[in-house]
Amino acid sequence: MKTIRKLPCLLGLMAAGLSAGLKAGLTKIYTADSHRLHAPPPGSFHAEVPARLETAIAHLESRKFTIQPSSNPLERVKTAIARAHSPSYVEMLQTTVGGLTSDTYVAPSSYRSLLSSTSAWLNCVDHAISSTGPSF
């Protein structure tokens, strides 16, 4: 099992489970380059680092899964976020850098990562609604 900073790469374990139970070609997996931007502040430790995503993607690709870029108009993404969160909370996420809670950090690029993650989620929902197979 690959480890990142001496912690098991849980995302990698999840990817192993996906690749064992789902068929490549039938499962859509969406991501975006900006997901790699959500990194802990320099000098701090956190299990959620871009290397975890890289490990999961590499494993899935080695199992012949296709990783697709998420793509949605920015306005659709912001509308989805606004339906789930108050304007003050969204503004706080845009302007905060540092610890949000004891186990959650916000980096300067986290909001951009949030937008792309929401876009990927919207792609997954669209794919599920179309009944053409599972998506992540």
Side-chain angles (χ1 to χ4, degrees), residues 87-108:
S88 62
Y89 184 75
V90 173
E91 182 179 339
M92 184 268 303
L93 291 175
Q94 290 173 298
T95 59
T96 298
V97 174
L100 188 59
T101 64
S102 63
D103 68 343
T104 305
Y105 64 86
V106 180

Side-chain angles (χ1 to χ4, degrees), residues 29-136:
I29 301 173
Y30 295 96
T31 190
D33 286 340
S34 58
H35 289 161
R36 295 169 176 91
L37 299 175
H38 183 65
S44 65
F45 171 78
H46 199 282
E48 295 210 17
V49 294
R52 289 181 71 200
L53 177 61
E54 298 299 327
T55 299
I57 288 173
H59 177 79
L60 290 165
E61 288 176 333
S62 76
R63 304 285 189 197
K64 307 300 182 211
F65 281 87
T66 301
I67 311 298
Q68 296 186 235
S70 61
S71 59
N72 281 287
L74 184 59
E75 207 48 48
R76 181 179 186 217
V77 172
K78 287 184 174 184
T79 297
I81 292 170
R83 287 183 178 166
H85 300 289
S86 70
S88 62
Y89 184 75
V90 173
E91 182 179 339
M92 184 268 303
L93 291 175
Q94 290 173 298
T95 59
T96 298
V97 174
L100 188 59
T101 64
S102 63
D103 68 343
T104 305
Y105 64 86
V106 180
S109 55
S110 292
Y111 183 71
R112 184 171 166 208
S113 182
L114 166 75
L115 293 174
S116 66
S117 297
T118 302
S119 179
W121 175 80
L122 289 168
N123 286 127
C124 289
V125 170
D126 291 343
H127 185 72
I129 290 171
S130 72
S131 299
T132 55
S135 59
F136 296 91

